[in-house]
Amino acid sequence: MSKTLVLAEKPSVGRELARVLGCKQSGEGCLEGAQYIVTWALGHLIELAPPESYDKAWQKWDLLTLPMLPDHLKTVVIPQSARQFRAVQALLRRKDVSGLVISTDAGREGELVARWILEKAGWHGPTQRLWISSQTDKAIRDGFAHLKPAAAYDNLYHSARARSEADWLVGLNVTRALTCKYNAQLSAGRVQTPTLALIVEREREIRAFRPKPFHTLRLQLPGFTAAWRDGNGQARIFDEAAAQALAARLEGKEARITQIKRTVKEVPPPAAYDLTELQRDANKKYAYSAKETLGMMQSLYETHKVLTYPRTDSRYLTADLVPTLPERLASVAVDVYKDLALSIRRKRPLQTKYLVNDAKVTDHHAIIPTEEQVDVWRMSGGERNIYDLVVRRFLAVLLPPCRYEELSLTLTVDGETFTARGRRMLETGWRAAYDRSFDALDGEDEEDERVQALPDAVEGAVLPIQGVKLVPGQTAPPGRYTEASLLSAMEHPGAHVQDREQRALLEATGGLGTPATRADIIEKLFSAFYLERRGKELFPTSKGMQVVELAPEDLRSPSLTAQWEGRLGAIARGEEPERAFVTEMREYAARLVAQVKASDASYSHDNQTRSPCPECGKFLLRVKTKRGGEMLVCPDRECGYRRSLKQVTNARCPNCHKKMELRGEGEKQMFACVCGYREKLSDFKARKAKAGGGKRDVRRYLEQQEQRQESGSSALAQQLAKWMEQHS
């Protein structure tokens, strides 16, 4: 009997598909049943070949051998996953396998994962595509009942391959050129570099900023305060003497209400989440990094199966999903959501005006709950927080608008104008989905005038001034980026582009990177030591600021990505040939390398220590890690030596309960707290073992700490070997 092979992207997804399809017999890298055999990749099993596989001269990093422009880019099996590739290849060659279902992630990179495997394995048999947005049993069964021809996604594959080859040609060539030219571990890329440039430009603005002092003037009236405004509506007075004179003149006067304006305002519910918006809110509310949020979302999608596909850039649903909404509401009718979810479910028809828009859905719809019954207790604390954000947003978008009345008072005192604002809720609407920790309306308040409760008032009323207050202030520089605001800037970088057409193209193509790759881009900036995090704020390092200056000008602007994504989208739609784009990228890479070679700029290590590298003797550099620790790294890319000085851990001080640092190496490692507490690692292990259940728990805890620390020798070589994963 012939069987169909199902190719998933990861083992966890493969096991779930196998369970639903009734495949219970274990094999080499697969699970087999009567009708189906389910196998899987480990992410990418295939990658573009490294430079040295084309020319032995390219094995050595040398400016004279650049640019590297092979006539045809070839693929190779990733050594670490070769065993699984051989298992998949053997299954594809089985005589009883008559067809294949591609079940990798439904997107551009998922298509690339599968097609490269099939090409390398030599598969030419009948092929179909599973395209689903959730991992529930129902979604899997429905997906297999409506499989699509794989050929329908050929252009998506061509687009993915073109992106991959362009990143190889441009990224590897420019990275090698910068590294060799300046003898430093430098890298550049068409998304990484303009993202870093946003942060560097903001830092320059902050450093160049010179604050100007000003005053605002407020009157204390019976039951409320009013703020002074000039003829243009501005509240700031930059002349201190004039501000003091004005305050003195108004003392003891009376204020007359000259205008009362009542306005009923209606605020529609926020749209459902796409990945970037979810990462932004998770960073604001819980300080999660974009990478952490994506990881928890992936678990809620794959393991718990309670949320739909996370890597989406759409905030709407298609009309065909509307009949599933009652069942989804029933699935979230638990815990604190129960009453509101059941209340919404009882309404017919459901309010979907702000949720359904077929024209705004691309590959995947917005992130919403699935029909799967929820076991909240099985989730980690972080997963619970992310789930909470998505469920509340899902409930909110199914509710009517929020309506409130805004009351504006205009008062006159001795020819001067003052204003005050109040607000009264009329209909809670979608705000019923949120508690007091969410107050989106207050975000609209002006800096110099807060919303307050205003007493009943009539025009012409005269009120005594109970006090005049001058409030000093000074103009503030633009705020530093947080991960939340950086994600927004990556999604909408048009403000940094002068050309109107380029701005429009950036908006149309989704900005810098994709929802699926922005977290990895930010992580790479940390791992390359271009960024530091202080609290929530992101600071460029000296290395990061210098590399932006050293990189070719084209790479610094978001315009390049706009052009690329526009053309890659055209390839995916079958409107442009893939080869034409790749040929242009070859020529472009050669031009960028020539620019780097011709540059007369210089690079300096301003974090150099006097400690020699034990491997090569060069002076080590002191760098900060993403999580606030410190390392010593060798500046020589061929050496790659690293040594941890300290790392911030989750271990709590027994005295003050703050997080402790782990310092030193080997037997000399010790925990240190800011309160002065010190404890040897050996003593910590003994204490943990005594209090928490044995050596295994301690070992697991320490392994988790090691995984959090940036690790490994020859790090740049490892990064470049995985170039496609980091720049996809």
Side-chain angles (χ1 to χ4, degrees):
M1 179 180 175
S2 64
K3 297 186 178 183
T4 299
L5 185 65
V6 178
L7 175 61
E9 188 162 328
K10 295 187 282 286
S12 58
V13 176
R15 284 191 290 270
E16 289 302 307
L17 294 176
R19 182 181 58 78
V20 175
L21 297 173
C23 302
K24 299 179 180 179
Q25 183 180 343
S26 296
E28 177 65 29
C30 70
L31 289 164
E32 188 166 348
Q35 184 180 354
Y36 295 99
I37 306 169
V38 178
T39 188
W40 45 79
L42 305 171
H44 279 278
L45 297 183
I46 310 295
E47 65 183 355
L48 289 176
E52 56 268 23
S53 66
Y54 300 96
D55 189 331
K56 290 297 182 185
W58 291 346
Q59 190 164 5
K60 180 176 174 59
W61 286 47
D62 192 328
L63 209 56
L64 297 176
T65 63
L66 301 178
M68 305 175 293
L69 302 171
D71 293 332
H72 175 71
L73 289 176
K74 57 188 179 183
T75 58
V76 295
V77 178
I78 299 173
Q80 295 90 330
S81 49
R83 178 176 177 177
Q84 183 59 23
F85 171 75
R86 289 193 296 270
V88 175
Q89 187 178 47
L91 292 169
L92 287 166
R93 292 177 177 177
R94 273 178 45 167
K95 292 195 184 328
D96 61 341
V97 171
S98 59
L100 174 79
V101 176
I102 296 175
S103 302
T104 49
D105 284 355
R108 188 167 74 183
E109 291 310 303
E111 202 65 30
L112 189 67
V113 167
R115 298 299 186 101
W116 270 356
I117 292 171
L118 301 183
E119 280 189 0
K120 184 62 71 175
W123 172 259
H124 300 290
T127 308
Q128 293 176 291
R129 188 53 158 110
L130 175 72
W131 196 273
I132 57 177
S133 290
S134 63
Q135 292 288 326
T136 64
D137 293 8
K138 181 177 182 296
I140 292 170
R141 292 192 186 99
D142 288 348
F144 272 89
H146 301 91
L147 294 172
K148 300 177 182 179
Y153 299 91
D154 283 352
N155 288 328
L156 185 64
Y157 164 54
H158 296 155
S159 174
R161 184 169 62 185
R163 193 277 312 151
S164 177
E165 294 188 2
D167 276 334
W168 193 102
L169 291 165
V170 173
L172 285 184
N173 273 294
V174 176
T175 291
R176 282 203 177 195
L178 289 171
T179 299
C180 294
K181 172 82 174 181
Y182 301 107
N183 192 30
Q185 295 185 20
L186 305 177
S187 62
R190 52 109 185 180
V191 178
Q192 170 193 321
T193 304
T195 300
L196 179 59
L198 292 174
I199 300 168
V200 169
E201 181 59 31
R202 177 64 56 85
E203 185 66 22
R204 290 193 183 117
E205 290 175 11
I206 293 170
R207 293 183 183 183
F209 184 82
R210 297 294 177 267
K212 294 177 61 178
F214 65 83
H215 286 80
T216 56
L217 193 152
R218 293 176 186 168
L219 300 182
Q220 181 62 55
L221 299 161
F224 68 100
T225 62
W228 175 86
R229 301 280 172 180
D230 67 11
N232 297 317
Q234 298 299 310
R236 297 176 179 182
I237 307 171
F238 288 93
D239 186 329
E240 183 177 2
Q244 291 175 343
L246 177 60
R249 179 161 61 89
L250 299 178
E251 285 283 0
K253 299 284 178 72
E254 294 181 326
R256 181 181 296 276
I257 299 176
T258 54
Q259 185 183 60
I260 299 177
K261 186 177 180 182
R262 299 180 185 273
T263 308
V264 174
K265 293 190 175 182
E266 187 173 280
V267 182
Y273 278 123
D274 64 3
L275 178 58
T276 301
E277 178 75 3
L278 179 59
Q279 288 170 321
R280 198 157 40 223
D281 280 3
N283 182 257
K284 289 177 182 176
K285 188 167 184 180
Y286 300 112
Y288 296 151
S289 71
K291 187 79 170 178
E292 288 171 330
T293 298
L294 178 55
M296 289 183 281
M297 264 300 306
Q298 203 70 31
S299 176
L300 291 166
Y301 166 65
E302 290 180 5
T303 305
H304 300 285
K305 301 184 180 185
V306 294
L307 297 182
T308 57
Y309 186 70
R311 300 168 187 261
T312 177
D313 61 357
S314 176
R315 303 187 67 184
Y316 297 89
L317 305 184
T318 49
D320 61 305
L321 285 169
V322 172
T324 73
L325 295 181
E327 196 172 350
R328 295 174 194 270
L329 283 165
S331 74
V332 301
V334 297
D335 204 33
V336 295
Y337 322 112
K338 183 176 181 179
D339 292 343
L340 185 57
L342 292 179
S343 171
I344 296 172
R345 190 171 185 262
R346 284 193 291 268
K347 296 176 182 176
R348 289 292 186 275
L350 289 174
Q351 162 67 266
T352 59
K353 175 181 177 181
Y354 303 103
L355 182 61
V356 176
N357 189 329
D358 288 47
K360 292 189 177 182
V361 178
T362 51
D363 290 342
H364 295 282
H365 58 70
I367 300 169
I368 59 171
T370 66
E371 303 95 326
E372 192 84 0
Q373 288 303 305
V374 179
D375 288 327
V376 175
W377 62 273
R378 292 182 181 274
M379 300 177 189
S380 69
E383 289 168 349
R384 179 73 173 82
N385 289 337
I386 298 301
Y387 180 74
D388 180 75
L389 285 174
V390 175
V391 171
R392 289 185 187 277
R393 180 61 60 91
F394 174 65
L395 297 175
V397 77
L398 290 171
L399 288 167
C402 159
R403 294 179 67 248
Y404 64 92
E405 181 186 65
E406 186 166 273
L407 176 64
S408 298
L409 300 184
T410 302
L411 305 97
T412 302
V413 184
D414 198 22
E416 302 292 338
T417 300
F418 289 80
T419 62
R421 284 198 304 154
R423 185 180 292 152
R424 181 169 65 91
M425 187 63 68
L426 300 176
E427 294 178 18
T428 306
W430 59 268
R431 285 167 59 86
Y434 293 94
D435 54 29
R436 289 189 175 184
S437 66
F438 181 91
D439 212 348
L441 297 182
D442 286 353
E444 300 170 358
D445 296 348
E446 296 179 35
E447 177 187 348
D448 302 315
E449 183 177 28
R450 64 183 181 87
V451 172
Q452 56 193 312
L454 295 180
D456 291 335
V458 294
E459 283 191 20
V462 176
L463 305 174
I465 295 176
Q466 298 173 334
V468 180
K469 184 178 181 181
L470 274 179
V471 181
Q474 61 179 15
T475 56
R480 285 187 172 85
Y481 284 110
T482 62
E483 283 208 33
S485 59
L486 181 58
L487 286 166
S488 296
M490 293 176 75
E491 188 176 26
H492 303 288
H496 305 272
V497 176
Q498 299 299 321
D499 185 88
R500 183 178 299 176
E501 291 184 7
Q502 292 296 326
R503 281 203 304 272
L505 184 57
L506 272 167
E507 289 300 314
T509 55
L512 290 169
T514 67
T517 61
R518 287 179 188 130
D520 284 337
I521 293 299
I522 295 172
E523 290 298 310
K524 179 162 174 55
L525 294 175
F526 281 112
S527 64
F529 305 114
Y530 292 157
L531 287 186
E532 294 175 359
R533 182 186 281 113
R534 303 176 195 171
K536 282 190 175 184
E537 294 183 328
L538 306 181
F539 287 72
T541 63
S542 170
K543 181 180 182 182
M545 296 189 76
Q546 288 185 80
V547 79
V548 167
E549 286 300 313
L550 299 175
E553 187 174 355
D554 275 7
L555 280 184
R556 304 175 208 165
S557 170
S559 296
L560 176 67
T561 285
Q563 295 165 9
W564 280 31
E565 288 299 335
R567 296 183 66 184
L568 290 170
I571 295 170
R573 294 188 297 271
E575 299 168 0
E576 180 176 341
E578 174 190 358
R579 283 300 101 193
F581 175 75
V582 174
T583 298
E584 283 190 37
M585 291 302 103
R586 289 167 54 85
E587 297 167 354
Y588 182 64
R591 289 200 304 273
L592 293 180
V593 169
Q595 289 178 30
V596 174
K597 286 182 175 181
S599 174
D600 58 1
S602 60
Y603 177 83
S604 63
H605 294 293
D606 61 358
N607 57 340
Q608 190 176 76
T609 69
R610 303 307 295 172
S611 300
C613 173
E615 302 292 336
C616 69
K618 293 183 175 65
F619 287 126
L620 295 170
L621 309 176
R622 183 186 293 265
V623 297
K624 291 186 178 180
T625 65
K626 174 187 172 183
R627 298 184 183 276
E630 289 186 0
M631 300 181 74
L632 292 178
V633 301
C634 182
D636 191 315
R637 60 168 184 80
E638 292 184 350
C639 175
Y641 174 80
R642 294 183 174 199
R643 184 171 83 242
S644 174
L645 292 178
K646 64 180 182 181
Q647 56 177 305
V648 179
T649 74
N650 283 330
R652 297 284 178 172
C653 173
N655 290 340
C656 69
H657 305 294
K658 292 181 179 178
K659 289 184 178 181
M660 297 190 291
E661 293 178 349
L662 185 61
R663 299 176 180 175
E665 292 184 294
E667 295 181 357
K668 295 182 179 180
Q669 281 186 297
M670 67 179 298
F671 285 99
C673 181
V674 291
C675 74
Y677 178 80
R678 300 290 185 272
E679 183 178 28
K680 289 182 179 179
L681 177 59
S682 57
D683 294 339
F684 170 83
K685 288 181 178 180
R687 181 165 61 85
K688 275 286 181 181
K690 184 178 180 180
K695 295 181 179 179
R696 181 177 298 177
D697 292 335
V698 176
R699 185 169 63 251
R700 186 183 301 116
Y701 175 85
L702 293 174
E703 286 173 352
Q704 290 171 351
Q705 289 301 142
E706 289 173 4
Q707 290 170 5
R708 290 181 55 194
Q709 182 190 15
E710 290 79 0
S711 61
S713 60
S714 302
L716 183 62
Q718 292 175 16
Q719 290 171 9
L720 295 178
K722 300 297 179 187
W723 185 266
M724 298 316 305
E725 292 181 18
Q726 295 173 336
H727 288 72
S728 58

